[in-house]
Amino acid sequence: MTTSTRFERVVAREVLDSRGRPTVEVDVRLVGGATGRAMVPSGASTGKHEALELRDHDSGRYNGLGVTVAVGNVNTVIGPALAESELRATDQAAVDRMLIDIDSTVSKSNLGANALLGVSMATARAGAAAEGVPLYRYLGGLTGGVGVIEPRLPLITVNIISGGAHGGQNLDMQDFLIVPVGAPDYRTSLEWSTRVRQSVAALLEAQGHHTHLVADEGGLAPFLSSHKQALDVIVAGIERAGLRPGRDADVAIAIDVAATEFYNGNEYVLATESSRLDAAGLIEVLASWTEQYPVVSIEDGLAEDDWDGWKALTERIGDRTLLIGDDLFTTNPGRLQRGVETGAANGVLVKLNQIGTLTETLQVIEDARQAGYIPVVSARSGETEDAFIADLAVGVAAPQFKVGSTTRSERTAKWNQLLRIEEELGAGAAYAGRDAFGR
Ligand code: PGA
Ligand code: ZN
């Protein structure tokens, strides 16, 4: 047992993500024989404060998006360093500390956050395998401050209509999603979600839209003439599915505005509606939607550095709306702290590759809890068949989980993993449901 969880070999390779772009896959093998594999996701509407995703910029391969340098950094720098060290894979915090130290930059630009994260995640998988426990239980045990967390299935947020950088700029805003708030358990929430998606697709078909071509996260991507049209068709789709739209009914609505993408440094430029708004103007639009529609959650309602706007938005509708910072916080403990101190947002999107190690990600979740902010574990628009985040969401009992649509296998890989975990936890499985808003 004494040497069994030390590192024997760490190997990376270049594989493809769901957009057909290269990404990093890492295999970790421990001396005792346990193994772990992980794949790194990649964003499109990335925040400028994210850790650096290292790309080759060799225009002769994959349009410059190759990751052979990041892969080489794992194979020739990180891997040998871990194999020569006394570190144990089960000491995740020490492994991640070493990764951060070898890289030695704040943005992880030296070796690449994609190189570091692949090793970090594969290490956790190998650690779980060595201990013979499911990944979600293992991850729950890593959260230092609060001790072992009881696994719980999250309330899901499901993409129905996509726009922005994920949908060919058909709409300015990025995601119109549903939240099956009234479902009694996870499995039912997933069935309701697929039913609503099919209903919305049928309604859009009837209006003459194409619904077989889908966006990056599998959402429908119709060219609508206003954002309210997206909200209207989703409400109608919920009803057509035989469910009741409403905050306290069966299915509510969430929006990822991804406002950074249409902020020009001065104004929010909405091409769909030919309008230009300042922060106050956009806040009024969003506030009016929370009155006219069962919108329970708004992500990135304002741009990533519009701290004053965020404070005003939170004062305006934060009492009745979950306001999630994605590009605003970039899963970064320092930025979350600034948000807590200034009263910006009341929730934080959690994406492993925005910060680059598992330990820092767990830290953000813990900090969010301490501050009364709701952590929402999330996929990226560029995903893989790796379902690590499903185990993460259950393991840390994250109240909410956002993966994209119910189509495309890189999305269903996560939904299906939650089905397996729900089965394994059995009849008494805890489910966040309505408690997922903490109020
Ligand atoms: P991204 O999109 O992965 O392209 O950043 C996901 C999101 O904005 O939530
Ligand atoms: Zn987002």
Side-chain angles (χ1 to χ4, degrees), residues 19 29 36 200 206 234 239 249 255 260 293 308 383 398 411 418:
R19 275 192 281 254
R29 184 181 173 84
V200 172
I234 290 176
E239 285 167 346
I255 304 169
T260 307
Y293 300 94
D308 293 340
E383 267 295 332
R411 313 289 147 190
L418 288 189

Side-chain angles (χ1 to χ4, degrees), residues 10 72-83 98-99 102 111 115-116 119:
V10 179
N73 289 341
V74 174
N75 290 339
T76 64
V77 182
I78 299 171
L82 284 171
M98 176 172 164
L99 295 177
I102 316 182
L111 299 174
L116 267 55
V119 175

Side-chain angles (χ1 to χ4, degrees), residues 99 111 135 160 199 231 256 276 286-287 363 374 421:
L99 295 177
L111 299 174
L135 183 60
I160 302 293
S199 299
L231 294 164
D256 182 357
R276 291 166 169 271
L286 298 175
Q363 186 64 51
I374 291 184
I421 294 174

Side-chain angles (χ1 to χ4, degrees), residues 2 12 53 69 80 109 160 175 193 302 307 310 336 380 391 407 426:
T2 44
E53 178 182 80
V69 177
S109 55
I160 302 293
D175 301 343
S193 301
L302 294 164
W307 291 99
W310 269 97
L336 176 59
R380 298 305 308 238
D391 284 78
T407 68

